[in-house]
Amino acid sequence: MLRKYLILIVFCCSAVVTQAQGLQISLTGMVTFNETQLVISEAGEDIEGTITSNSGVQLSIESNNYWDMKNEKWRIYVHKSNVEWNDGIKLEVKREGNGENTDNKGGTNIHDGTSYAEISDTPNYFFRGMGLIANIPLAFQLKDLSLTMGANDFETDVVFTIYDD
């Protein structure tokens, strides 16, 4: 009889411990680029300048357990997973603002990521912060486009990963 209660207690404690995954990322919006930003002087030459996104994405740090995670430190890493991509094209991302504190008390605690950084195939550090923050605006840009790449649709998936400190 005691053995059954002991097993029940161990099972209940392990169920509480397995709830370690508390932070999560949500994204809203879609990245689009305006082709009218292209400056082409002659066929076969590289395209001058960069193309920046004209619509953005907002990233939010959320948690199912608000009280345990509202002061949690975290880091965001970013990488891309190519579907159909030309390695000569550089995709870059930056954080354009600090977002909003979800409890509406004071400012946000967020650092780094305010200048464009290239998104590679391996995860790289993007920015860090503390607490639950909503609507962090992100901007993207394309660089090193060339007419020699030909007319094609290029597609890649951008992956954001959150780690708690």
Side-chain angles (χ1 to χ4, degrees), residues 22-24 59-63 65-76 98 100-103 107-111 127-134 136 162-165:
L23 294 172
Q24 54 198 352
L59 183 142
S60 296
I61 311 300
E62 300 172 342
S63 174
N65 192 350
Y66 174 80
W67 295 108
D68 286 344
M69 297 297 166
K70 73 177 198 169
N71 291 320
E72 187 74 24
K73 291 181 182 179
W74 44 262
R75 293 167 289 149
I76 303 289
N98 294 333
E100 305 157 1
N101 202 338
T102 57
D103 63 8
T108 57
N109 188 347
I110 193 167
H111 307 278
F127 66 93
R128 65 186 168 88
M130 186 174 89
L132 305 178
I133 302 174
I136 303 167
I162 187 167
Y163 296 97
D164 61 347
D165 280 342

Side-chain angles (χ1 to χ4, degrees), residues 110-156:
I110 193 167
H111 307 278
D112 306 326
T114 55
S115 59
Y116 280 106
E118 185 175 354
I119 302 173
S120 67
D121 295 336
T122 58
N124 290 313
Y125 170 75
F126 183 27
F127 66 93
R128 65 186 168 88
M130 186 174 89
L132 305 178
I133 302 174
N135 304 321
I136 303 167
L138 304 179
F140 293 83
Q141 74 178 11
L142 296 172
K143 291 177 75 173
D144 296 345
L145 297 171
S146 175
L147 295 176
T148 59
M149 293 175 185
N152 200 351
D153 289 330
F154 298 109
E155 182 179 347
T156 189

Side-chain angles (χ1 to χ4, degrees), residues 2 16 24 46 50 66 79-80 86 100 113 116 138:
L2 182 61
V16 171
Q24 54 198 352
D46 290 340
T50 59
Y66 174 80
H79 72 281
K80 62 184 174 64
N86 186 314
E100 305 157 1
Y116 280 106
L138 304 179

